[in-house]
Amino acid sequence: MDNNDFRKHAHELVDWMADYFEEVEDYPVKPDVQPGDILAQLPETAPEKSESFEAMFEDFKKIIMPGITHWESPNFMAYFPANKSYPSVLAEMLTATLGAQCMSWLTSPAATELEERVMEWLRELIGLPDNFTGVIEDTASTSTLCALLMAREKATDFKANNNGVPGDKTFTVYCSSETHSSIEKDVKIAGFGRQNLRKVAVDEHFAMQPEALEEAIREDLENGCKPAAVVATIGTTGSTAIDPLEEIGKICSKYDIFLHVDAAYAGTALLLPEMRRMNKGIDYADSFVFNPHKWMFTNFDCSAFYVQDEALLVRTFEIMPEYLKTPEDERVKNYRDWGIQLGRRFRALKLWFVIRSFGVEGLQKKIRFHISLGQQMKEKIEAHENYELLAPVPLNTLCFRFHPSHIHDETKLNELNEKLLNAIQESGKLFLTHTKLDGKYTIRMVIGNTNVEKRHVEQAWKLIQQKASQLVT
Ligand SMILES: Cc1ncc(COP(=O)(O)O)c(C=O)c1O
């Protein structure tokens, strides 16, 4: 492919992309394929000879597209969204074109300095204290791993980095029983040991109980352990429960424990002044993460990771081989020392485009709208005698089940709701997912897709009721 071919095909692709965005809600949101269906259509060996762009693009349309789950569809209300927007996609095109490696200032000065500036913007926008400094990581899983590694180094007085995690002491980590699975994974990777993760009980709103946290810490101290880190969540994955940060922070401060805040999804809502109450007590946090790639209209991946103690972060990760030394090292940020990766994508560009294109007002308007749609849906579920909300709805995530009044048996209700979810998914018209809350099979509906409108929520509610009534007649 030469430059002329590239120009021609790029124009064709942009047309295809614009058509896709226009038509995406007409696609079945979840594809009708079985495991292995796509694999069976792909040759077992790579082609010896060059193939034309036309052939590749035809196969993309014929083989790949029918197997795509359309996260971009406004009928996608599953998991948490992985949103995008026009300015974000345009920035990703430029990023791919430049192919800049952002490991140190020298390898792309503009990328480093733009990252520094947009992270400052974002810090202001979500109301983090001024002494937080940010870096863009790929995911919240990685950001939390970085936080736990910082906590590990702090707790071991930097011995773990040099000698391995000391075996003469048990270092413990705390999170709630509703915390995202990435915390457990990160605890394993960071060398704390899975059995040293304490899953603290939650209250009736699925938020961590501070008293239970303190009790667990005291018990560990009595047993000679060293509590190293607490992970609090703003917006749990199951039901967007909000852990009481201020009370948790006071406990961490009392026992000198590193506090990390995981706001992967709900952090975007902090753009709204009226939602800042979720962040009360943030001053106690040592680190904080939220994902613009979830709800802030910025293509995956883009995770905003903030720390209070920049020196601790850099000391945890810094490594200085001769071939990476530059004359500017003393005067600049070399983001390779702010996390795990050496090579880093230029992610700040899409964030810059998104913030500038929407403007703060535009971002706030959309997020407020999503929350209002969530609250309207909440009222509908509450008002219906055959449906039951299973968790509070602080934002735009609904946790509910179908509960006809004549069914009292919990096992039957679980089976019924599982069937309902399957029927909804098979329709291809709506994609919802589930969790379990208090042992109850819970259908989750998240109304946060970039282009979701009231009519999509109304259609979704109609479909849920229609599928449910088919199950009981
Ligand atoms: C609360 C919470 N934390 C962490 C994660 C992991 O996010 P990532 O995919 O960016 O690692 C998720 C994913 O949904 C989440 O909901």
Side-chain angles (χ1 to χ4, degrees):
M1 201 183 283
D2 63 19
N3 205 45
N4 284 336
D5 294 332
F6 171 76
R7 190 183 301 278
K8 176 170 170 283
H9 300 315
H11 281 292
E12 286 162 13
L13 280 197
V14 170
D15 277 339
W16 184 92
M17 288 156 72
D19 288 345
Y20 175 75
F21 288 137
E22 235 166 47
E23 294 159 4
V24 64
E25 74 172 90
D26 301 328
Y27 283 80
V29 59
K30 182 178 157 294
D32 183 17
V33 291
Q34 294 303 316
D37 280 359
I38 310 298
L39 204 55
Q41 298 176 69
L42 301 169
E44 282 177 19
T45 52
E48 287 294 332
K49 302 257 187 270
S50 162
E51 295 191 52
S52 69
F53 177 78
E54 285 78 7
M56 296 187 289
F57 194 42
E58 264 322 297
D59 281 350
F60 165 77
K61 289 188 271 189
K62 202 173 89 209
I63 303 173
I64 304 302
M65 281 304 283
I68 291 292
T69 300
H70 295 282
W71 286 70
E72 182 58 21
S73 167
N75 301 317
F76 183 101
M77 301 184 190
Y79 307 105
F80 281 136
N83 275 338
K84 56 211 74 67
S85 57
Y86 294 121
S88 172
V89 173
L90 291 175
E92 281 288 61
M93 288 159 70
L94 292 179
T95 300
T97 304
L98 298 176
Q101 270 285 356
C102 307
M103 49 199 177
S104 54
W105 180 86
L106 183 67
T107 60
S108 246
T112 297
E113 294 186 14
L114 183 63
E115 182 161 343
E116 193 172 335
R117 187 47 43 100
V118 289
M119 292 309 276
E120 285 166 8
W121 281 7
L122 216 46
R123 179 185 65 206
E124 294 298 311
L125 293 183
I126 61 171
L128 287 184
D130 288 348
N131 59 341
F132 275 73
T133 335
V135 57
I136 306 180
E137 303 285 353
D138 52 6
T139 58
S141 304
T142 302
S143 302
T144 298
L145 177 58
C146 293
L148 290 181
L149 291 169
M150 287 169 73
R152 188 192 73 184
E153 290 316 297
K154 189 176 169 216
T156 64
D157 200 18
F158 292 89
K159 289 203 177 66
N161 259 353
N162 277 326
N163 313 331
V165 183
D168 57 345
K169 223 176 178 79
T170 299
F171 297 89
T172 46
V173 179
Y174 307 80
C175 64
S176 91
S177 54
E178 285 292 317
T179 310
H180 189 261
S181 57
S182 56
I183 283 65
E184 188 165 337
K185 198 186 216 181
D186 292 339
V187 162
K188 291 199 299 180
I189 302 169
F192 287 106
R194 196 181 196 165
Q195 65 183 14
N196 301 318
L197 175 65
R198 311 283 182 252
K199 293 202 176 162
V200 176
V202 292
D203 64 15
E204 73 281 12
H205 296 141
F206 305 102
M208 188 193 281
Q209 291 184 25
E211 311 76 36
L213 170 68
E214 186 159 16
E215 206 178 299
I217 291 170
R218 276 215 208 102
E219 200 179 310
D220 282 330
L221 284 170
E222 276 163 25
N223 290 328
C225 303
K226 169 117 182 85
V230 173
V231 180
T233 308
I234 296 181
T236 58
T237 313
S239 68
T240 56
I242 297 152
D243 288 341
L245 207 50
E246 192 163 38
E247 284 153 280
I248 293 170
K250 282 182 184 155
I251 296 169
C252 289
S253 160
K254 181 170 162 189
Y255 296 94
D256 191 24
I257 304 173
F258 189 98
L259 174 60
H260 173 63
V261 178
D262 176 5
Y265 177 68
T268 295
L270 294 170
L271 283 158
L272 306 180
E274 66 270 27
M275 285 295 160
R276 298 269 166 81
R277 59 179 184 272
M278 300 193 299
N279 233 8
K280 194 158 174 268
I282 190 65
D283 290 317
Y284 289 104
D286 292 283
S287 58
F288 173 96
V289 62
F290 97 99
N291 284 348
H293 73 224
K294 279 186 160 48
W295 190 12
M296 215 187 104
F297 323 117
T298 308
N299 281 63
F300 189 86
D301 46 7
C302 185
S303 187
F305 178 50
Y306 286 92
V307 297
Q308 289 237 26
D309 187 347
E310 182 182 322
L312 172 62
L313 175 72
V314 173
R315 197 168 159 201
T316 301
F317 292 103
E318 190 178 40
I319 203 105
M320 190 54 96
E322 190 55 38
Y323 47 82
L324 290 178
K325 286 183 185 156
T326 68
E328 300 83 13
D329 283 344
E330 294 305 314
R331 290 184 290 139
V332 297
K333 289 191 193 316
N334 286 321
Y335 282 125
R336 66 162 189 275
D337 291 331
W338 289 53
I340 294 159
Q341 296 173 273
L342 168 62
R344 305 173 69 252
R345 296 183 66 228
F346 183 11
R347 300 189 185 95
L349 191 67
K350 57 190 168 188
L351 209 44
W352 194 45
F353 273 28
V354 166
I355 297 172
R356 294 182 63 187
S357 177
F358 278 82
V360 178
E361 276 179 18
L363 291 169
Q364 290 175 331
K365 192 168 163 208
K366 220 177 220 323
I367 294 155
R368 260 191 206 114
F369 176 59
H370 290 168
I371 295 175
S372 76
L373 289 179
Q375 296 303 314
Q376 288 162 27
M377 185 66 204
K378 172 189 164 221
E379 284 165 20
K380 288 195 175 121
I381 297 174
E382 268 174 343
H384 199 301
E385 56 180 4
N386 287 342
Y387 289 83
E388 184 186 5
L389 276 175
L390 296 176
V393 187
L395 299 164
N396 52 349
T397 297
L398 292 305
C399 291
F400 65 96
R401 67 176 175 179
F402 177 44
H403 189 168
S405 52
H406 66 280
I407 305 182
H408 305 293
D409 183 75
E410 284 296 323
T411 313
K412 284 211 176 95
L413 281 171
N414 283 353
E415 286 166 6
L416 181 66
N417 280 279
E418 190 171 352
K419 274 192 198 143
L420 173 57
L421 185 71
N422 289 340
I424 292 166
Q425 289 189 353
E426 275 160 25
S427 75
K429 293 183 178 148
L430 173 67
F431 192 17
L432 305 179
T433 44
H434 84 284
T435 188
K436 274 207 170 156
L437 293 173
D438 267 344
K440 294 172 189 160
Y441 192 95
T442 304
I443 298 180
R444 278 174 86 260
M445 178 179 191
V446 186
I447 308 173
N449 196 280
T450 309
N451 294 316
V452 68
E453 293 168 23
K454 195 169 178 182
R455 69 187 168 90
H456 299 113
V457 183
E458 284 168 357
Q459 280 163 24
W461 182 219
K462 213 161 139 189
L463 184 84
I464 293 165
Q465 293 175 86
Q466 187 195 357
K467 294 289 170 195
S469 65
Q470 284 166 2
L471 287 174
V472 286
T473 49

